[in-house]
Structures are given as structure tokens and as C-alpha cells.
């Protein structure tokens, strides 16, 4: 008996979608699994195609659709090494930050290496439970003599891989879901004092004043490293004085609207912004060593670590100030709150989805809030 697997995909998304098996002139089975959760045509079709492919694979492997019982993800016969490779190849092809893709690659290599060291690579992925994944991560950590931070970092990537496998119907449940991070004390942020901030500004004014404008963008707008590197002159709305960041350069793939305060505006109006395609903080010629031609409106983007290297060389090494450049974001958030800006307004300026995230960056949120309300404590009398 021959079977044909098809997709019922009405243009009206309010109608039911399903994948069905057609045989002997009739539909013998329908599958609706999770298709209605996708709210746009392309995503729903992608999910339907994956389900269709899975059903076809099961039929080819010998499953008889007209027999009782539905095919299940755990019957797909993938080994853990095969499934992890599928996840890795798919995740690596997505539009992600270069550092994120590099982390995926490192995690994949370490994970597979550990599987092979235990001779587990040929076991079906359906056999791996929470205990086994936690054990793999422990072995990865201990065999390298690494800290708990290493475990937590690879746990984060492991969760990404297994969530992908669930979405693609390769496994039914995510074994990493209840694995908890190990205790790890992160490096405490050492924020600039007002005096140090002024010292840094005066230092760069002497030989690279355009870098002060770069730092002002970081301080006032909390833009992310990729965003500021790819920021172009045409992304500045000089009528409303806002940055309009296209979704191609933002972290959450959504258009970003950022207000430009007067302190930054006064710097930007002095720049030649006439070419909308020029990078706001670019370089005139690739690999140029002429500092005057860096961090200026130019046709080429700066190398990834140019700003960080400059900060380390001039601020950390020469001035002896041990504070990271991107911690300006936290100092800015604290300063905004001290100036009377509400936590929610700070959240909006950071483009955070909720204030809990903002509190991570507004490191002095609690004490500032209490100080601003000190007159409401009353008198004990």
C-alpha cells in the first residue's frame, strides 16, 4: 500500500491547518500538532514541512499509518550525536552575532568530544534524560579544570540546542529544562567616579576628540556593541533627533528608536552627516593606523575590537582606571535615576522588555530609590 503525505494550508490562518496521509483515495490520518501556535503563514508552513518530513521518515522506516498508534518523536532513531549535529548546523546558519555563532561551535565541539570520551555518541537521543545531560556538563567542566562559570556558560548553550530539537520534533521533552546553574560570583562592576569620567574625557580631547562622542553615544543611549559599530549617518533623524536602528542590526530583530539628548546632539551637529551610507564611527581606509581617520563618518566599519583595545590602552593601562568601557551603561542608568528619571523610563531608554532586566544594569537602583524617598520615612516620636 502506498502513502502520500500532504499539507492542508488554507490562506486564512483562522482555519485549521494539518498534515495528512492520503492512501487509496482517502485521507487516513490527520496531524494538527502545534501548527495553530504559529501566527504567520511562513512560520506555520515551516513547522508543517518539518512535521511532514518526520511523518515521511517514519513511513519509510516501516511505520504503517493505518495501524493503531501515532508516530512519536522518540521513535525517530537519531543518535544523540546525529541530533546534536542537526541542531548545530541549523543554529549556525541563523542570523546571529559572530560571538554567538563562535560559542555554538565551541559548545558543540566540547559536547561531542565528551560524548565520545564516554562512548555515548551512538546511543539514541531519546534515552538521554536530565541526569545524563547534567553528567556530560560536569565531565566537560571537570576534565578541563574549569570553574562553575564554564558549566553555566555551556548549560546556557545546551538549553538552546535542546529547545531547538524540541521545536523540530526530534525529541518530545527538553532534558535541560530543570538543570540549574551552579553558584558563581560574577566580577563586581567597578563604575567610574565622576572625577574619573572627567579625566577620561579630557584625556581623549587632547588627541582623539571624536572618541569622546563615541563614548557619549554609549553613555546616553545604551546602544549595544554591534549596533554602535554598524550605526550609519542615515540612521539619524535630524528633524526629531533620534536614532532609528533597523532590525538588521538590533539584538532583538526589532526596529529601535532612541532619543538623542542635547549633550550628544551638540556633538553630532558638528559632524559631516551628509552621506547616509557612511558609518557614524567608521574608518576612512581599511586597516588605517591614522587615528584621526578613525571614529569618524566614513565608508568602512571599524574592526570588532578597535574601541575596546583603545580603551584598554588609554584608560586601563595609561590612566590606571580599572573599569570596563561598556560599564558606562550602568553608570548612565544610575545617573539617570539620580536625576529623577523613573525606572520605567530608564527601561524604555535601554529598550528592555521589563524592569527586572533594567535593575541588572541600574546597579544602584535600590539605594537611589530609597534616597529619593527619604523624606517619606516619618519620625519615630
Amino acid at each position: 500500500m502506498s502513502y502520500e503525505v500532504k499539507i492542508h494550508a488554507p490562506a486564512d490562518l483562522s482555519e485549521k491547518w494539518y498534515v495528512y496521509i492520503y492512501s487509496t483515495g482517502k485521507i487516513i490520518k490527520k496531524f494538527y500538532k502545534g501548527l495553530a501556535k504559529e501566527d504567520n503563514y511562513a512560520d506555520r508552513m515551516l513547522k508543517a514541512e518539518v512535521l511532514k518530513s518526520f511523518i515521511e521518515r517514519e513511513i519509510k522506516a516501516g511505520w504503517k499509518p493505518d495501524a493503531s498508534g501515532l508516530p512519536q518523536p522518540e521513535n525517530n532513531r537519531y543518535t544523540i550525536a546525529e541530533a546534536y549535529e542537526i541542531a548545530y548546523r541549523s543554529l549556525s546558519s541563523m542570523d546571529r552575532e559572530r560571538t554567538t555563532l563562535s560559542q555554538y561551535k565551541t559548545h558543540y565541539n566540547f559536547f561531542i568530544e565528551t560524548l565520545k570520551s564516554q562512548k555515548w555518541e551512538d546511543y539514541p537521543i531519546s534515552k538521554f534524560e536530565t541526569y545524563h545531560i547534567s553528567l556530560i556538563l560536569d565531565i566537560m567542566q571537570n576534565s578541563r579544570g574549569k570553574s562553575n562559570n564554564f558549566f553555566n556558560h555551556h548549560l546556557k548553550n545546551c538549553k538552546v540546542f535542546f529547545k531547538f530539537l524540541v521545536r523540530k520534533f526530534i525529541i518530545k521533552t527538553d532534558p535541560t529544562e530543570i538543570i540549574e546553574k551552579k553558584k558563581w560570583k560574577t566580577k563586581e562592576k567597578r563604575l567610574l567616579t565622576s572625577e574619573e569620567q572627567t579625566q577620561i574625557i579630557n584625556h581623549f580631547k587632547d588627541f582623539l576628540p571624536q572618541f569622546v562622542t563615541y563614548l557619549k553615544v554609549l553613555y546616553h543611549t545604551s546602544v549595544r556593541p554591534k549596533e554602535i559599530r554598524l550605526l550609519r549617518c542615515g540612521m539619524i533623524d535630524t528633524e526629531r533627533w533620534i536614532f532609528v536602528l533597523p532590525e538588521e542590526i538590533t539584538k532583538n530583530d526589532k526596529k529601535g528608536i532612541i532619543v538623542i539628548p542635547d549633550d550628544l546632539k551638540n556633538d553630532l551637529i558638528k559632524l559631516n552627516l551628509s552621506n547616509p551610507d557612511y558609518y557614524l564611527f567608521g574608518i576612512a581606509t581599511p586597516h588605517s593606523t591614522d587615528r584621526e581617520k578613525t571614529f569618524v563618518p566614513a565608508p568602512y566599519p571599524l574592526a570588532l575590537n578597535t574601541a575596546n583595545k583603545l580603551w584598554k590602552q588609554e584608560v586601563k593601562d595609561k590612566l590606571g582606571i580599572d573599569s570596563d568601557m561598556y560599564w558606562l551603561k550602568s553608570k548612565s542608568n544610575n545617573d539617570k535615576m539620580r536625576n529623577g528619571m523613573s525606572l520605567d523610563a530608564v527601561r524604555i531608554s535601554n529598550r528592555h522588555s521589563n524592569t527586572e532586566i533594567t535593575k541588572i544594569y541600574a546597579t544602584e537602583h535600590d539605594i537611589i530609590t530609597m534616597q529619593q524617598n527619604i523624606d517619606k520615612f516619618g519620625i519615630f516620636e
Side-chain angles (χ1 to χ4, degrees):
M1 184 179 292
S2 63
Y3 304 101
E4 190 174 359
V5 184
K6 298 182 178 182
I7 298 171
H8 176 68
D12 185 352
L13 294 182
S14 66
E15 296 183 30
K16 286 187 176 182
W17 280 44
Y18 53 85
V19 178
Y20 63 94
I21 301 175
Y22 188 81
S23 181
T24 62
K26 62 180 179 180
I27 296 175
I28 61 173
K29 282 191 182 296
K30 295 180 182 180
F31 305 90
Y32 299 88
K33 186 176 178 65
L35 299 180
K37 292 181 180 178
E38 304 299 337
D39 58 6
N40 68 71
Y41 192 94
D43 288 345
R44 192 175 291 187
M45 179 58 74
L46 178 62
K47 201 163 191 176
E49 291 284 1
V50 171
L51 181 55
K52 176 177 179 286
S53 176
F54 167 69
I55 295 170
E56 289 173 334
R57 177 189 173 99
E58 289 299 302
I59 293 173
K60 189 175 181 180
W63 175 60
K64 302 298 183 184
D66 41 1
S68 60
L70 293 172
Q72 297 296 328
E74 60 266 29
N75 297 330
N76 61 40
R77 300 177 180 84
Y78 283 119
T79 67
I80 188 167
E82 290 172 338
Y84 229 67
E85 182 179 3
I86 291 171
Y88 170 63
R89 291 188 181 281
S90 296
L91 292 168
S92 297
S93 66
M94 295 179 180
D95 184 18
R96 295 287 186 271
E97 295 273 3
R98 186 182 301 182
T99 53
T100 300
L101 296 177
S102 176
Q103 289 171 8
Y104 289 163
K105 181 178 181 180
T106 301
H107 170 72
Y108 171 74
N109 289 336
F110 284 4
F111 192 92
I112 296 298
E113 179 185 317
T114 305
L115 283 176
K116 290 181 177 179
S117 73
Q118 304 303 306
K119 296 181 170 54
W120 293 349
E121 69 272 22
D122 293 328
Y123 280 90
I125 191 169
S126 59
K127 300 296 183 184
F128 283 78
E129 300 178 359
T130 299
Y131 166 75
H132 304 108
I133 304 304
S134 183
L135 187 57
I136 290 170
L137 293 171
D138 278 333
I139 295 170
M140 285 171 59
Q141 175 190 358
N142 296 331
S143 65
R144 292 171 174 79
K146 297 293 186 178
S147 69
N148 287 350
N149 188 43
F150 177 94
F151 178 96
N152 295 340
H153 174 74
H154 282 279
L155 173 60
K156 179 186 72 173
N157 287 307
C158 202
K159 286 178 180 289
V160 172
F161 276 60
F162 276 95
K163 280 182 172 61
F164 173 86
L165 294 174
V166 171
R167 291 198 305 270
K168 297 303 179 183
F169 307 110
I170 291 174
I171 55 176
K172 183 181 286 186
T173 58
D174 177 6
T176 69
E177 191 170 11
I178 61 173
I179 301 178
E180 296 181 349
K181 289 183 178 180
K182 293 185 177 181
K183 289 184 178 180
W184 168 254
K185 187 175 182 180
T186 57
K187 179 181 178 182
E188 188 174 347
K189 291 181 180 179
R190 195 289 211 182
L191 305 186
L192 297 175
T193 65
S194 297
E195 293 74 20
E196 288 171 338
Q197 182 169 300
T198 300
Q199 182 184 1
I200 292 169
I201 291 170
N202 290 334
H203 174 74
F204 282 109
K205 275 184 177 178
D206 290 338
F207 74 97
L208 196 66
Q210 61 268 35
F211 189 63
V212 177
T213 305
Y214 179 94
L215 295 178
K216 281 188 180 183
V217 172
L218 287 179
Y219 175 81
H220 285 301
T221 69
S222 298
V223 293
R224 300 171 179 105
K226 176 184 176 182
E227 293 171 345
I228 193 169
R229 180 172 171 268
L230 300 181
L231 187 60
R232 296 178 188 261
C233 296
M235 297 175 191
I236 304 174
D237 182 336
T238 54
E239 291 186 5
R240 295 181 292 172
W241 283 102
I242 57 174
F243 288 121
V244 182
L245 307 185
E247 59 186 26
E248 295 82 33
I249 73 169
T250 60
K251 183 177 180 180
N252 58 5
D253 298 328
K254 296 179 180 179
K255 183 170 73 171
I257 305 295
I258 306 173
V259 171
I260 299 173
D262 288 343
D263 180 48
L264 176 56
K265 173 185 171 182
N266 292 336
D267 280 18
L268 295 178
I269 58 178
K270 299 173 185 176
L271 303 178
N272 181 1
L273 306 175
S274 59
N275 192 325
D277 294 327
Y278 273 19
Y279 294 94
L280 181 61
F281 299 107
I283 185 169
T285 55
H287 313 298
S288 173
T289 56
D290 185 350
R291 280 183 165 174
E292 291 186 3
K293 294 181 180 180
T294 60
F295 296 96
V296 294
Y300 302 100
L302 291 166
L304 282 173
N305 292 318
T306 300
N308 272 323
K309 287 180 179 178
L310 179 63
W311 180 273
K312 182 181 183 302
Q313 179 182 340
E314 298 296 329
V315 176
K316 291 189 171 184
D317 296 344
K318 285 189 179 180
L319 299 181
I321 300 174
D322 186 21
S323 182
D324 289 353
M325 180 174 66
Y326 286 104
W327 289 350
L328 282 171
K329 180 174 182 175
S330 288
K331 185 177 187 302
S332 169
N333 288 336
N334 291 339
D335 290 347
K336 286 182 176 78
M337 291 200 66
R338 285 197 182 90
N339 291 334
M341 187 178 286
S342 70
L343 179 64
D344 192 56
V346 175
R347 176 192 67 78
I348 293 171
S349 72
N350 281 267
R351 291 171 290 148
H352 290 158
S353 58
N354 60 70
T355 54
E356 292 306 309
I357 297 175
T358 308
K359 288 178 183 178
I360 296 172
Y361 295 95
T363 57
E364 298 177 11
H365 160 262
D366 289 345
I367 190 169
I368 293 172
T369 300
M370 289 299 96
Q371 289 173 340
Q372 291 174 339
N373 290 275
I374 196 71
D375 59 330
K376 298 179 179 63
F377 276 75
I379 301 173
F380 181 66
E381 57 183 7

